[in-house]
Amino acid sequence: MTIAAKEAIGAAAVLRIYRCCLRIRRFEEKVAQLFKKGLLPGFVHLYIGEEAVAAGVGAALRADDHIVSTHRGHGHVIAKGGDLNRMMAELFGKATGYCKGKGGSMHIADFSIGVLGACGIVGGGIPIALGAALSSATRGTDQVAATFFGDGAANEGSFHESLNLASVMSLPVLFVCENNHYGEFTPAAEAMNVADVADRAAGYGIPGVVVDGTDPLAVHLAAADAVQRGRRGEGPTLIEAKTHRGDHAEGEKAFLAGQPYRDEQELERAAAGDPIEKLTADIAALGLFEADVLEEIDREAVAAVEEAVEFAQNSPDPGPEALMEDRWASG
Amino acid sequence: MPPKTYIAAIREALGEEMGHDERVLLIGEDVRLGVFAGTRGLHREFGPGRVINTPISELAVAGMGVGAAVTGLRPVVDLMFGTFLYLAMDQIANQAGCMRYMFGGQAKVPIVFMAQNGGGLGAGPHHSQPMHPLFMNMPLIKVVAPSNPYDAKGLLKAAVRDDDPVVFLSQLSLGGQRADVPDEEYTIPIGVGDLKRAGADVTVCSAGLTVHRALEAASSLAEDGIDAEVIDLRTLKPWDEAMVLESVAKTGRFVAVDESYPTCGAASEWAATVAEKAFGDLRGPVQRVSNRPVPIPFSPVLESQTIPAAADVVDAVRRTMARG
Ligand SMILES: Cc1ncc(C[n+]2csc(CCOP(=O)(O)OP(=O)(O)O)c2C)c(N)n1
Ligand SMILES: [Mg+2]
């Protein structure tokens, strides 16, 4: 994508995207350290390398739009405006966490900002976005719903059923496929016989676009288009963002006992495709901000993450009464 | 006998069965690298035709297994976490679980669905729910749940050789356990329980992870002079009713301990059977120790309160001892 095409985005949105990328990166780097120290229970899947997708899509959404997230969901929540303190506390399983410690890394939700939840079941969140879109259509609003999922999830029945259903109902859904080329330890190339997940959109009669998922501004432009289609009542769009992740889950090198599964070329492409470096270069090319502005944003991100860790570590564990709370809405 | 882990025992069982029956295939997501290591190395040994690494498509994978089973193969379908079996449910419940009967005995469905069951991992609801009662409730599905490495090997081999659908539930929370497992071949018959500890005062019946909690409880009860008999059912369906009833005839008291929910849980099934068939032997009320009725929470502090602990078993034993 040419730099000229990115000029239309505007300084405020670019700054928002940059800030979001940095918050995600610094948050995830800290989570990696905490996990290594054995401070976080359960499984943790990091979003490092994929920041462009959440940040680019997030900046195209309004506060009242909905998103549905995945097991690799920290970035999505941050992009929708999630509170780092409550996120970090949830990762520690503390009472002050977003889900009072009942969900953990794979289940962060903040309904007050339209985050309908991360999901530990691959593909489990996709149809839920259809319901959120149906809900706004029924109420007569122009809200849209975005659902994130991986290349691996695109092989689940829920993906195929959801694309078709959203298509025939013309629901305002953004299907955002984060194609990081692996589902756990299996290469996508082995799990599907199409080069692009986006090709599958044609089979359901909806637009499918491929975008460089390591380029925050390119993702943003594609998402903004899809959001406009949705708001105009023109139905769903499948956006496939080609991106790269680090490890599948923290600690994987130990449990794989050194068995390799990624090819060298892909690792090189991953290293070369740092979204924050690309965005920094774009910002310079667009002549938008000086380096000190960006440095200040980074410092803010680092400080916010430090504060989040302190908040989480100083928070209490859930008390015994919490176990049986939050069961029935009907009392 | 060399000590082996639970996971190693599973790998050994699969390797042996694949080694002497080329109809046995292993199918599933990341079985090549082996997410839980129970399938690790088999790909190298048997190649991609026998160890089939699939896309993330539980329903199709399970259904492919069913189709292969009714046409002469003996697939082991590894679905990783038990909760992912929900995605494969139609193929397990409506297809594998009905085909033979529904088609008037024409079909034989020798398939094993393998998964890690239950909590204790700090992994949150989507990876920790107990699944076994669902399958116990399907009339023509067998369910096994070994509590230790020795049983894991013997039961998995029996499951692979069984001509009917078997859900084989391992538990990662037992993964680090080591026990003596013979290098030689052996099977443990499906449907036969194991008397873990003989006792005169109360029968404590369990399977899987909670067997260990029951044994822990029995040791602490012994200090107070209460002599508990502990049964590890090993197979949840068909379960060893005879062993349980015989034990209750001797002890006159029954405590069912299970890592699932009280409503229609495994403990409920055992308790109902004892109440129905051993009423005359009972000297105290039948007790159940089950999960608290909530999705398994992430916080380890909450999770440990959700799943039966040894102290819960002790309490239940005291309740039934207090009366009669
Ligand atoms: C239904 C289901 N099947 C399998 C898993 C185990 N699992 C967790 S993450 C993952 C890989 C998902 O790949 P992808 O959708 O590409 O997302 P990525 O991890 O690459 O972001 C798998 C198989 C799961 N959580 N849920
Ligand atoms: Mg992926």
Coordinates of all heavy atoms in Angstrom, one line a residue, chain B residues 16 82 106 110 116 142 169 185 225 230 238-239 253 268 275 287:
Chain B
E16 N 2.2 -49.5 21.1 CA 2.1 -51.0 21.0 C 0.9 -51.4 20.1 O 1.0 -52.3 19.3 CB 1.9 -51.5 22.4 CG 3.1 -51.5 23.3 CD 2.9 -52.0 24.7 OE1 1.8 -52.6 25.0 OE2 3.8 -51.9 25.5
G82 N -11.1 -32.2 26.8 CA -12.5 -32.8 26.8 C -13.6 -31.8 26.4 O -14.5 -32.2 25.7
Q106 N -26.0 -53.9 12.1 CA -25.1 -54.0 10.9 C -23.7 -53.4 11.1 O -22.7 -53.9 10.6 CB -25.7 -53.3 9.7 CG -27.0 -53.8 9.2 CD -27.5 -53.0 8.0 OE1 -26.9 -53.0 6.9 NE2 -28.5 -52.2 8.2
P110 N -15.7 -49.5 16.1 CA -14.5 -49.6 17.0 C -13.7 -48.3 17.0 O -12.7 -48.2 16.3 CB -13.7 -50.8 16.5 CG -14.0 -50.8 15.0 CD -15.4 -50.2 14.8
Q116 N -8.3 -35.0 27.4 CA -8.0 -34.7 28.8 C -9.3 -34.2 29.4 O -9.9 -33.3 28.9 CB -6.8 -33.7 28.9 CG -7.1 -32.4 29.5 CD -7.3 -32.4 31.0 OE1 -6.7 -33.3 31.7 NE2 -8.0 -31.5 31.6
K142 N -18.9 -46.4 25.8 CA -18.2 -46.8 27.0 C -17.3 -45.6 27.4 O -16.8 -44.8 26.6 CB -17.3 -48.0 26.7 CG -18.2 -49.2 26.3 CD -17.4 -50.4 26.1 CE -18.3 -51.5 25.5 NZ -17.5 -52.8 25.3
L169 N -10.8 -40.9 28.8 CA -10.5 -39.6 29.5 C -9.3 -39.7 30.3 O -9.2 -40.4 31.3 CB -11.7 -39.2 30.3 CG -13.0 -39.0 29.4 CD1 -14.2 -38.8 30.3 CD2 -12.9 -37.8 28.5
E185 N 3.3 -56.1 27.3 CA 2.0 -55.9 26.9 C 1.0 -56.4 28.0 O 1.2 -57.5 28.6 CB 1.6 -56.6 25.6 CG 2.5 -56.2 24.5 CD 1.6 -55.8 23.3 OE1 0.4 -55.8 23.4 OE2 2.2 -55.5 22.3
G225 N -9.3 -43.9 63.5 CA -9.9 -45.2 63.7 C -11.0 -45.5 62.8 O -11.8 -46.5 63.0
V230 N -11.6 -48.2 49.7 CA -11.6 -47.2 48.6 C -11.6 -48.0 47.2 O -10.7 -48.9 47.0 CB -10.4 -46.3 48.6 CG1 -10.3 -45.4 47.4 CG2 -10.4 -45.4 49.9
P238 N -19.3 -49.5 31.1 CA -20.1 -50.0 32.2 C -19.3 -50.1 33.4 O -18.1 -50.5 33.4 CB -20.4 -51.4 31.7 CG -19.2 -51.8 30.8 CD -18.8 -50.5 30.1
W239 N -19.9 -49.7 34.6 CA -19.1 -49.7 35.8 C -19.3 -50.9 36.6 O -20.3 -51.6 36.5 CB -19.3 -48.4 36.6 CG -20.7 -48.1 37.0 CD1 -21.7 -47.6 36.3 CD2 -21.3 -48.3 38.3 NE1 -22.9 -47.5 37.0 CE2 -22.6 -47.9 38.3 CE3 -20.7 -48.8 39.5 CZ2 -23.5 -47.9 39.4 CZ3 -21.6 -48.8 40.7 CH2 -22.9 -48.4 40.6
R253 N -21.9 -48.7 54.5 CA -21.9 -47.2 54.3 C -21.3 -46.9 52.9 O -20.3 -47.5 52.5 CB -21.2 -46.5 55.4 CG -21.9 -46.6 56.7 CD -21.2 -45.7 57.8 NE -21.9 -45.8 59.1 CZ -21.7 -46.8 60.0 NH1 -20.8 -47.7 59.7 NH2 -22.4 -46.8 61.1
S268 N -23.9 -39.5 41.4 CA -25.4 -39.6 41.5 C -25.8 -41.0 41.0 O -26.6 -41.7 41.6 CB -26.1 -38.6 40.7 OG -25.7 -37.3 41.2
A275 N -28.5 -47.1 46.6 CA -29.7 -46.9 47.4 C -30.8 -47.9 46.9 O -31.6 -48.4 47.7 CB -30.2 -45.5 47.2
Q287 N -23.8 -40.8 50.7 CA -23.3 -39.5 50.6 C -22.7 -39.3 49.2 O -22.0 -40.2 48.7 CB -22.3 -39.2 51.6 CG -22.8 -39.2 53.0 CD -23.8 -38.1 53.3 OE1 -23.4 -36.9 53.1 NE2 -24.9 -38.4 53.8

